[in-house]
Amino acid sequence: MKHKIIAPLLACIALLCGCNKNNSLTSGTTSIIGEESRGAQQFADFVGEYPENPISVLTLSEDEIRQAINAQSNFSCTENLWVNIPESASVYEFNTYGVHVPQFDYPAAQYKKDFEALFSYLFPGREIDPNCLKYSKYLGYDYEKQDYIFDEGYVRDNEKLPDGVNFIYDGDVYLETNSEIGVGSGLVNKGEAAKIAFNDAPDTLSYFEPGDYFESVGIYSPQSEKSFPLLDGEMRICDAVAFFEDYVNNAPISTGLQRNIRTRVYNVEVLKVNDKYGYYFTTVAEFRGVGYEPVIYGTVSEYSYDPTRGEAFMIRRGDIDYIHCFYGSEWTFDVKPRGEIVPVETAIKNISGKLTAAVTFDVISIEFVYVRQFVKDEQGHINIDTYEAKITPAWRITAGNSNDNHTYMCYVDAVDGDNFRFYTTPGIVSFSRSAEDA
């Protein structure tokens, strides 16, 4: 199945940035939840005994940021500069493990209850057809056969399932949890957009991705007030984002751990659906008010994939038709709060100073993000059992270069303003954020 098998992906670019949100998160201990505490959680239930040290991150107004950018000889602000910086936050450096069901020997019977609760939340009023319910357990990678090994079959055919399984419902709706549910995995497809794309019911909903079948109209920030007619009426993009984030962050996706991260919309691509439209969200994880960098860059081997971003598709105002990746639980350790960071104006100067003075770069966005660097073995492979990673805060500037028609993503570490690096992608991205923009 497309999202179950860990496969090589081309590094993809999610260029535009999310909204500024400061979330009040509940403190607690990241631990396995007792039986009495399981069930749907509100995203106010974020936990983690993380030492708090809130600092001011947004130290300049948008006008002052524009002035600081335009003061650089090789920078010029675009009209719709997007500033994606929280006003204040506790800023951390930390390491993470992905939370996998097998790591906790999570009982199959309990995980099935969790799956049923999620199914009821996503498909209210619908009964689970036993002829459509499958299980799968990842057993490892066979280096001789160069293939992944799974124990899988129909749930109905097994009196007792192995612990640490995944569940897949493959019928006229689709739900796959994967063992990493809550970390950045899982797939939901309610089928309406797929039926429109195929003019009928497709054989399986597991391979459908909206971006492959519908025409793109443009990319917008999550706070855009632009409105498009969905299948059941007009809705502003910002209202659609608010609906989706509330919907996905309240889904009961527990695999035995309390939540400490949430799903956040990074940008919105508007797709044409016949004579109407749909909102295609790019999503990332957010840790205590700061969003993760949405992409890993560079060569991706067959032993790695990109668990840093997801997607969702909305074609009706009161529902979400497609979701790929939930975020909810990551095992964090060595969490160190940063008492101070370099201010945004220093980041602007440092990035500008590292780029050629012979080109004027049109600055599209400036962001404060968490960057995830996966720990690799001697062969350069990511550990697909743990996805151990180092998380650090960074300043990011996205800018267009009209000379080579490329978009540049430029970074410096937020703790000292050093470690400049940049990545490029062909074409120059632009986006709108106001109701007046076309």
Side-chain angles (χ1 to χ4, degrees):
M1 293 175 188
K2 186 171 184 179
H3 297 287
K4 178 181 71 178
I5 302 296
I6 299 169
L9 299 180
L10 297 177
C12 47
I13 306 301
L15 290 175
L16 301 175
C17 35
C19 49
N20 301 327
K21 292 186 180 179
N22 299 308
N23 300 296
S24 176
L25 306 179
T26 305
S27 295
T29 302
T30 305
S31 60
I32 294 179
I33 301 175
E35 189 76 27
E36 71 282 359
S37 300
R38 289 191 174 100
Q41 302 173 58
Q42 299 298 306
F43 61 71
D45 292 339
F46 283 61
V47 298
E49 223 166 61
Y50 310 113
E52 293 191 37
N53 184 24
I55 59 176
S56 178
V57 183
L58 185 61
T59 55
L60 301 178
S61 68
E62 183 171 325
D63 285 342
E64 290 171 330
I65 290 175
R66 285 179 172 275
Q67 291 172 16
I69 291 172
N70 288 327
Q72 312 309 309
S73 61
N74 57 350
F75 275 173
S76 176
C77 273
T78 57
E79 181 180 357
N80 288 321
L81 172 74
W82 184 250
V83 178
N84 179 33
I85 305 171
E87 291 185 8
S88 65
S90 291
V91 179
Y92 305 91
E93 289 182 322
F94 54 98
N95 290 1
T96 63
Y97 280 126
V99 179
H100 293 245
V101 173
Q103 290 177 293
F104 297 94
D105 293 322
Y106 199 60
Q110 181 58 53
Y111 198 24
K112 186 169 181 288
K113 291 180 181 178
D114 292 348
F115 181 89
E116 290 168 349
L118 180 60
F119 189 94
S120 295
Y121 179 88
L122 296 168
F123 311 109
R126 179 186 290 267
E127 296 292 331
I128 291 180
D129 182 348
N131 296 314
C132 299
L133 185 59
K134 304 175 184 179
Y135 76 93
S136 175
K137 182 172 182 177
Y138 174 60
L139 300 179
Y141 188 81
D142 187 324
Y143 288 91
E144 291 186 2
K145 296 181 179 179
Q146 295 286 295
D147 199 6
Y148 301 94
I149 306 171
F150 294 88
D151 172 16
E152 53 191 355
Y154 283 93
V155 173
R156 70 186 181 207
D157 298 331
N158 291 266
E159 293 183 6
K160 182 174 175 57
L161 294 173
D163 292 337
V165 296
N166 311 324
F167 288 100
I168 305 105
Y169 188 89
D170 192 359
D172 59 346
V173 297
Y174 188 90
L175 174 60
E176 181 177 349
T177 55
N178 287 359
S179 60
E180 304 88 2
I181 186 73
V183 180
S185 191
L187 177 63
V188 179
N189 197 331
K190 299 184 179 180
E192 185 170 12
K195 291 174 183 177
I196 293 173
F198 290 103
N199 296 315
D200 198 355
D203 292 337
T204 177
L205 297 172
S206 63
Y207 290 91
F208 173 76
E209 292 187 3
D212 294 339
Y213 296 94
F214 298 112
E215 177 188 355
S216 176
V217 173
I219 298 175
Y220 294 77
S221 85
Q223 291 190 348
S224 172
E225 296 179 0
K226 179 72 176 176
S227 178
F228 288 86
L230 306 183
L231 297 189
D232 60 345
E234 292 249 348
M235 190 175 199
R236 296 189 307 174
I237 290 172
C238 58
D239 294 332
V241 168
F243 176 89
F244 167 72
E245 289 184 348
D246 179 72
Y247 182 81
V248 70
N249 286 310
N250 282 301
I253 60 174
S254 172
T255 57
L257 293 175
Q258 293 173 306
R259 299 178 185 233
N260 61 357
I261 57 176
R262 71 191 296 271
T263 301
R264 169 179 177 177
V265 174
Y266 188 76
N267 65 28
V268 183
E269 185 173 11
V270 178
L271 303 181
K272 191 84 183 303
V273 182
N274 291 341
D275 60 342
K276 303 294 183 180
Y277 298 86
Y279 294 143
Y280 195 33
F281 306 117
T282 292
T283 64
V284 295
E286 178 188 276
F287 182 72
R288 299 184 67 82
V290 179
Y292 277 35
E293 166 66 22
V295 179
I296 55 174
Y297 300 96
T299 301
V300 181
S301 80
E302 64 177 314
Y303 307 111
S304 66
Y305 82 124
D306 179 1
T308 60
R309 64 184 290 267
E311 303 87 22
F313 194 43
M314 181 181 195
I315 56 177
R316 292 190 182 276
R317 290 174 296 177
D319 200 10
I320 304 298
D321 189 64
Y322 168 92
I323 304 171
H324 175 215
C325 288
F326 299 89
Y327 304 95
S329 302
E330 267 191 336
W331 193 262
T332 57
F333 60 101
D334 291 343
V335 180
K336 300 179 180 67
R338 303 300 309 192
E340 57 184 34
I341 56 173
V342 297
V344 61
E345 56 266 35
T346 299
I348 292 169
K349 291 177 183 177
N350 289 3
I351 292 175
S352 169
K354 294 294 185 179
L355 295 172
T356 177
V359 172
T360 298
F361 295 86
D362 297 317
V363 177
I364 299 166
S365 66
I366 182 163
E367 306 177 68
F368 185 78
V369 296
Y370 279 128
V371 175
R372 187 196 313 245
Q373 182 176 356
F374 290 103
V375 175
K376 298 181 179 180
D377 62 18
E378 293 179 353
Q379 288 74 42
H381 301 148
I382 295 170
N383 186 327
I384 61 174
D385 292 320
T386 64
Y387 294 108
E388 181 180 354
K390 176 74 174 179
I391 312 297
T392 57
W395 291 104
R396 161 176 158 149
I397 285 179
T398 301
N401 177 357
S402 58
N403 286 17
D404 64 4
N405 195 39
H406 275 62
T407 299
Y408 286 65
M409 287 66 66
C410 307
Y411 303 77
V412 291
D413 290 343
V415 295
D416 55 14
D418 294 333
N419 189 23
F420 170 80
R421 64 271 193 200
F422 74 92
Y423 309 93
T424 67
T425 186
I428 298 176
V429 171
S430 61
F431 72 106
S432 300
R433 66 175 183 175
S434 73
E436 289 75 27
D437 293 324

